[in-house]
Structures are given as C-alpha cells and as structure tokens.
Amino acid sequence: MNKRVVKIQYNSPVVLTFALLSLAALILGKLTGGWTTVKLFSVYRSSPADLLTYPRFVLHVLGHSSYSHYIGNIMMILVIALEERYGSRPLFWAIFITALVSGMVQWLFFPGTALLGASGIVFMMIVMSSLAGMKNGCIPLTLILVLILYIGGEIIDGVTLRDNISQITHIVGGICGAILGAAMRK
C-alpha cells in the first residue's frame, strides 16, 4: 500500500516569521495592557536619550492595535507572496529599510502622533509586486495604475480625511517599494 505523506513547508520564512512575530507582539500587548505596544511596537517622538527610541524605528511594523488591524495587514502580506520572486534575504532588507524609513519619517515630522502596524510594508510589497512584471525595459501598465491610484488616493485622503490611518506611511512604503523593487531587479 502506497501511503502519501503530507508535509507542511515553511515556504516563505521571512513573511511567515514576520506574521508570527506580529502576532506575538499583539498577544504580548494584550497581556501587558498595551504597555509593550506603546513602549516597543509604536514609533513616536521620544527623547534621543531613550534607548528604546531606536529599536522602535523598526519594531513599529510588528505592532497592531487590534486583531482586525493585524489580520488586515498580514493577510495582504501573505497573499502578495513576494518572497518566491525576490528571495528571502532581499525581502528581509526591503522590509527592514521600509520600516526604518517610515519610522524615522514619523519620528521626525509627526511629533504629536504615534505609528504602529505593517501597512507601509503592505504598500511596499504591492508596488514591488507590480514591478516584478517588468520585462525588457517596458513599464507595466499595472505599475503605473497602482502608483497613480494608490499614491493619488493616499495624497487625497491625507489632505481630506482626519482618521487614524497614516497616509504618509503608505506613501513612504510605496516609494520604498518602487526604489527597492527597481534596485532588486538590476
């Protein structure tokens, strides 16, 4: 008798580890009454003498305000599936750089607000995914539409809406995705 063994493959180590670390940050935040979410997984203007200021520049992408916030971001990251196209190491650095840049932009230019969540990473991946379709020096129309619709929409939302969504983080993520995606293609 021929038995088939089904194996589960950890096929996207960077994305899956990111998802698990974000879930751990969410659970830890719930267990500590939000203390770790504020102290470790949110970026905001804090003293340069505060040693936690610097890790927060990157760690904020792991923090989420609720389970629905977490699911919204992580589902998009899982669906985009960039790791197989670009590789684990380049994707890790793209996530790290985007987190760092968006964290520093938040810290420098928006002193009265805090930022947490992976939406900048999501938009970086959306733009990188569109860039992956580039062939023979031709720019895919999908990339142009994504950039126009996405960045245009975020600029309009940033000017007209007063919600708890950081449009600047989405724009920074999209710009990082365009720059890093183009650099990785070379």
Side-chain angles (χ1 to χ4, degrees):
M1 190 175 251
N2 190 5
K3 288 187 177 182
R4 289 187 176 216
V5 177
V6 177
K7 295 180 183 179
I8 297 175
Q9 181 184 8
Y10 203 72
N11 62 318
S12 295
V14 170
V15 168
L16 292 169
T17 301
F18 183 88
L20 291 171
L21 288 173
S22 293
L23 181 59
L26 180 64
I27 292 168
L28 194 58
K30 298 298 179 194
L31 292 175
T32 62
W35 187 87
T36 55
T37 303
V38 171
K39 295 296 183 183
L40 297 175
F41 303 114
S42 299
V43 65
Y44 46 87
R45 180 69 61 87
S46 56
S47 169
D50 179 357
L51 293 180
L52 292 177
T53 295
Y54 307 101
R56 284 192 293 253
F57 285 158
V58 175
L59 294 177
H60 70 95
V61 297
L62 298 176
H64 290 88
S65 59
S66 66
Y67 183 72
S68 62
H69 183 210
Y70 166 80
I71 287 296
N73 282 327
I74 297 304
M75 286 302 292
M76 286 299 294
I77 290 170
L78 291 170
V79 167
I80 295 171
L82 275 186
E83 199 160 348
E84 292 176 5
R85 290 182 187 166
Y86 286 101
S88 297
R89 184 169 288 146
L91 185 59
F92 168 82
W93 285 111
I95 290 169
F96 181 86
I97 291 167
T98 302
L100 181 63
V101 170
S102 63
M104 291 177 75
V105 165
Q106 180 71 26
W107 188 84
L108 284 169
F109 299 111
F110 301 95
T113 61
L115 172 70
L116 75 160
S119 59
I121 303 303
V122 169
F123 287 105
M124 175 266 298
M125 289 181 159
I126 289 170
V127 173
M128 283 180 69
S129 179
S130 297
L131 272 171
M134 241 173 111
K135 293 181 181 135
N136 301 326
C138 295
I139 298 172
L141 181 56
T142 54
L143 173 62
I144 295 168
L145 289 173
V146 164
L147 291 175
I148 291 170
L149 296 172
Y150 155 68
I151 293 182
E154 292 303 309
I155 291 170
I156 291 168
D157 286 350
V159 172
T160 61
L161 296 178
R162 293 291 163 237
D163 54 16
N164 287 329
I165 298 171
S166 176
Q167 284 79 22
I168 193 68
T169 303
H170 298 170
I171 294 168
V172 168
I175 291 168
C176 286
I179 292 168
L180 295 167
M184 286 183 205
R185 288 189 43 73
K186 291 181 179 178

